[in-house]
Amino acid sequence: MYLGTLVGMTGPIGMMKQHDLRDWAQRQTRCHDYLLHGSGMLKDGWWQLNCDLQLQNGPTFHIEQEVLADPFYRFIEKTWMWQQLVLAIPLYWMGGLSWLVWGVSVRIAVSVGGHWLIGYFAHNDGERTWRVEGAAVQGHNIRLAGLLSMGEAWHNNHHAYPGSAMLGLYTDEPDPGWWVLNALRNLGVVKNIRLPIQLPLRPELIAEATDLDRRVERVPEDCDIAKFIRRG
């Protein structure tokens, strides 16, 4: 959670609100261009990196009390921008201004800009295995960015199974984020990981790909869940 905060977007509670707002909006039959990345690249980039959308009648989010009451989460939510000093001070001490610029400023610009860029393409163009019927926005898989984005670019899979910890659902979809989570699960550091077979059935989820039977489902060797992909 702390490493995620150092990316430089917001704190953990703010990230939950941002993600859940976008996720809610994209499941509606109509969605504002800001939340669906529906404008041209230059306009969308300006919006996403410099602006915010205020809804007059937006949804109400109920975040779990164990998150809201957690003292560590509350602390880094209030101080998330100041947390860069944890890196900035030792970087400047060890390497001077150049280390500070590359280790903080450039890193944040690349991380935040890259997050927007993946989101823009993942909601506009790319491969699709699944379609969520009735949703204003469909996710797309961006194969070239699968590794670089820690699996986030398998965004069509995420729209199909938003509660799944694994995003790369097939052996030809590398998912480093899942590799890390699964390793931490094996070490007992994280728990309650959920995969598609453990999620509620979604009658609105339709399989679009014609080669699902040919592709090999990902089965983690150290995971006791053998088969978890449902086909529409």
Side-chain angles (χ1 to χ4, degrees):
M1 187 68 73
Y2 187 73
L3 292 176
T5 299
L6 288 180
V7 170
M9 297 181 66
T10 183
I13 296 173
M15 184 60 69
M16 291 176 67
K17 290 181 177 178
Q18 287 188 24
H19 179 274
D20 287 359
L21 172 63
R22 193 174 297 271
D23 188 62
W24 166 82
Q26 291 177 355
R27 290 199 306 266
Q28 309 306 306
T29 55
R30 296 177 61 194
C31 180
H32 191 284
D33 280 353
Y34 179 91
L35 294 169
L36 64 80
H37 296 281
S39 298
M41 181 177 288
L42 292 179
K43 183 178 180 179
D44 189 75
W46 172 258
W47 274 2
Q48 303 297 328
L49 300 176
N50 298 279
C51 305
D52 192 14
L53 179 68
Q54 300 293 332
L55 299 178
Q56 291 181 342
N57 297 293
T60 300
F61 296 115
H62 299 282
I63 299 176
E64 294 86 344
Q65 188 61 29
E66 58 265 30
V67 174
L68 287 177
D70 187 283
F72 177 68
Y73 291 167
R74 292 173 63 183
F75 171 70
I76 58 176
E77 179 69 24
K78 291 179 180 178
T79 63
W80 67 271
M81 294 186 73
W82 292 101
Q83 295 303 319
Q84 299 299 332
L85 291 175
V86 176
L87 284 177
I89 292 173
L91 284 173
Y92 183 77
W93 180 75
M94 289 186 296
L97 185 61
S98 63
W99 280 39
L100 174 63
V101 170
W102 283 95
V104 178
S105 302
V106 174
R107 172 182 56 82
I108 291 175
V110 171
S111 297
V112 176
H115 179 271
W116 158 71
L117 199 60
I118 292 295
Y120 180 81
F121 285 113
H123 291 105
N124 282 284
D125 191 29
E127 301 176 6
R128 272 188 12 199
T129 304
W130 311 93
R131 173 172 55 87
V132 182
E133 198 168 40
V137 185
Q138 303 295 327
H140 301 265
N141 291 332
I142 312 300
R143 186 164 295 278
L144 290 176
L147 279 171
L148 186 62
S149 66
M150 295 292 288
E152 177 68 17
W154 307 118
H155 213 67
N156 179 252
N157 299 341
H158 175 57
H159 276 234
Y161 298 103
S164 173
M166 177 186 286
L167 300 181
L169 300 182
Y170 293 91
T171 53
D172 60 348
E173 297 174 347
D175 186 354
W178 163 252
W179 302 340
V180 173
L181 279 175
N182 198 35
L184 292 174
R185 179 189 66 85
N186 293 334
L187 293 172
V189 178
V190 299
K191 58 184 179 180
N192 298 328
I193 284 180
R194 302 177 74 189
L195 298 176
I197 194 64
Q198 298 160 298
L199 300 176
L201 287 169
R202 300 184 66 189
E204 70 274 23
L205 184 61
I206 308 298
E208 282 195 334
T210 58
D211 62 345
L212 281 177
D213 289 324
R214 179 180 60 81
R215 297 170 66 186
V216 180
E217 295 170 356
R218 179 187 299 277
V219 182
E221 294 179 358
D222 53 355
C223 185
D224 58 0
I225 302 172
K227 296 288 183 180
F228 56 86
I229 300 295
R230 296 192 190 92
R231 298 187 173 89

